[in-house]
Amino acid sequence: MFHGVAVHAVGLSLEGEHGWVYRDVGVAAEPGSLTVVTGQAGSGRTSLLLTLAGRMSPSEGTLTVGRYGRPRAIRRVAALGLVDGVNDLEKALTVREHLHERSPGMFWGGRQESRAGTALTLAGLELSPGDRTLIRDLSREERVRLGIALALLDAPGLLVLDNVDTGLAQDRQEALWATLGELGERGLTVFAACTESERAAAVHLPAENSAGSESSPGTTRPVEPETTADGRDGKSLAHALLAPDGPEDVPAVTGSTALPEPEGPGSMPAAGGPGAGAGGRDGKTVARAVRTEERDR
C-alpha cells in the first residue's frame, strides 16, 4: 500500500510574462484520491501540475501537500509521471536503462530488479525490468505507463502526470484511467491532466486563464504527444521559477509502498526531485529554472 498525501490549495495563481497562466484554483484532494485536471492547450494545466508537485512556485495562494507547504519539501513526496516537454523519456535508451538509472542505490541487484518489476506491474506495463526495447519503439501508452513505473520507484505520496488522453484511442484511455484508479485504491494520491473528462473529481481550467493565449471557450488547439499544455515556447513555464524557499518545513517522510525497500540507509531518492523526472531527467524548462535559482543565491 502507498501512503498517499492530502493536497489542499486555496486561491492558487501563477502569473507569467503575458498575464495569468492560471488563477484562483482551489483543490481539496484526500489521500488515495484520483483528481482529474482538465483544460485545453494553453489553459495552464501543465503549470498547475508542476506547482502541485513542487516544481514551480505560485504567485499567489496557498498550497499544502501532506504536511508540506514549500516547493522544496513538496518535491520530497511528489513524483512526476510523464509530463511532455518537461521530463521526456530518452528515445535512444532502452526500458532497462531507464529503470537502472532511476532505481535507488549504486548497484543493480536482485532487490532493485524486484522493485522495478513490481513498479512495472502496478503501472500495467507488461515488460520485464531487463527489457531492451528502445523508447522510440514503444507506443504512446507504453511510454506513459513506463513514466508511471519510474515515478513509483521513488515511493511517492503524490503522483502527477499530463496529457493522459493524448494519442490514445478511447478504450486505451479508459484502460489507463483504470490503472490510475487502482493506484488510488492502493492509497496513492493521483493528479492527472487531460483535455476533457466527465469524471466527478475534476479541476477545470478555462482557456481564458492562459497567459497570452488567444484561445476561447469552444476552440481547440491540439496537444501533440511532445507538447506541454502551456505551449512549446516554454515562456509560461520558464517564468515560474523554482524560487529559493528557505528552510524545509519538516524532515521528509517517504512512507512505505508495495515496492520492496531499497538497500541501505539514504538510498531512496527524493520523489521526483530536481534533476529526476520520468526518465531521471527534468526537461529544459526546469533545468533553466534550477540554474536561475542557483544564480540568485
Side-chain angles (χ1 to χ4, degrees):
M1 297 292 290
F2 294 94
H3 285 210
V5 294
V7 180
H8 296 283
V10 178
L12 207 61
S13 304
L14 176 63
E15 188 174 14
E17 294 178 350
H18 305 290
W20 293 101
V21 181
Y22 60 80
R23 194 171 189 182
D24 295 329
V25 176
V27 173
E30 297 305 312
S33 61
L34 169 59
T35 302
V36 182
V37 179
T38 64
Q40 300 294 333
S43 63
R45 70 174 193 236
T46 301
S47 291
L48 176 61
L49 289 178
L50 294 175
T51 303
L52 296 177
R55 273 65 175 184
M56 286 186 170
S57 296
S59 304
E60 296 179 0
T62 60
L63 170 65
T64 303
V65 179
R67 294 184 292 166
Y68 310 117
R70 294 175 177 170
R72 184 181 300 172
I74 291 173
R75 291 196 291 271
R76 291 180 172 267
V77 294
L80 297 181
L82 190 60
V83 180
D84 295 316
V86 175
N87 61 346
D88 301 308
L89 302 175
E90 293 288 344
K91 295 181 179 180
L93 297 183
T94 65
V95 171
R96 176 178 179 273
E97 288 169 327
H98 276 85
L99 291 169
H100 278 224
E101 183 180 80
R102 190 64 175 269
S103 293
M106 295 181 62
F107 303 102
W108 179 265
R111 180 169 295 187
Q112 285 81 1
E113 184 172 358
S114 177
R115 284 173 56 81
T118 300
L120 290 170
T121 299
L122 291 173
L125 190 57
E126 297 180 354
L127 297 175
S128 70
D131 194 288
R132 296 180 182 273
T133 303
L134 292 173
I135 298 303
R136 66 165 61 97
D137 295 327
L138 297 179
S139 67
R140 168 66 182 178
E141 180 183 356
E142 288 173 327
R143 295 200 304 274
V144 173
R145 291 184 180 275
L146 178 57
I148 295 172
L150 294 169
L152 295 182
L153 290 175
D154 290 342
L158 169 65
L159 168 68
V160 304
L161 65 159
D162 197 10
N163 290 342
V164 172
D165 58 350
T166 299
L168 300 181
Q170 185 64 36
D171 62 330
R172 301 321 306 161
Q173 292 181 34
E174 292 301 322
L176 187 54
W177 284 117
T179 296
L180 296 176
E182 291 168 1
L183 291 174
E185 292 173 358
R186 290 178 176 270
L188 183 62
T189 306
V190 180
F191 274 75
C194 61
T195 303
E196 57 185 18
S197 174
E198 297 180 356
R199 297 174 185 273
V203 176
H204 177 68
L205 298 179
E208 59 265 26
N209 273 349
S210 59
S213 171
E214 298 180 357
S215 300
S216 60
T219 63
T220 302
R221 181 159 54 90
V223 181
E224 299 299 329
E226 301 301 330
T227 304
T228 69
D230 298 317
R232 285 294 299 185
D233 60 7
K235 292 180 180 178
S236 298
L237 296 178
H239 186 71
L241 302 178
L242 289 170
D245 47 21
E248 298 175 11
D249 297 65
V250 289
V253 178
T254 58
S256 60
T257 72
L259 303 179
E261 291 300 318
E263 295 179 342
S267 58
M268 177 65 75
R281 300 175 174 86
D282 280 337
K284 295 179 180 178
T285 298
V286 176
R288 288 198 300 270
V290 173
R291 288 198 297 271
T292 302
E293 177 186 5
E294 293 174 347
R295 194 166 57 242
D296 292 340
R297 287 178 176 171

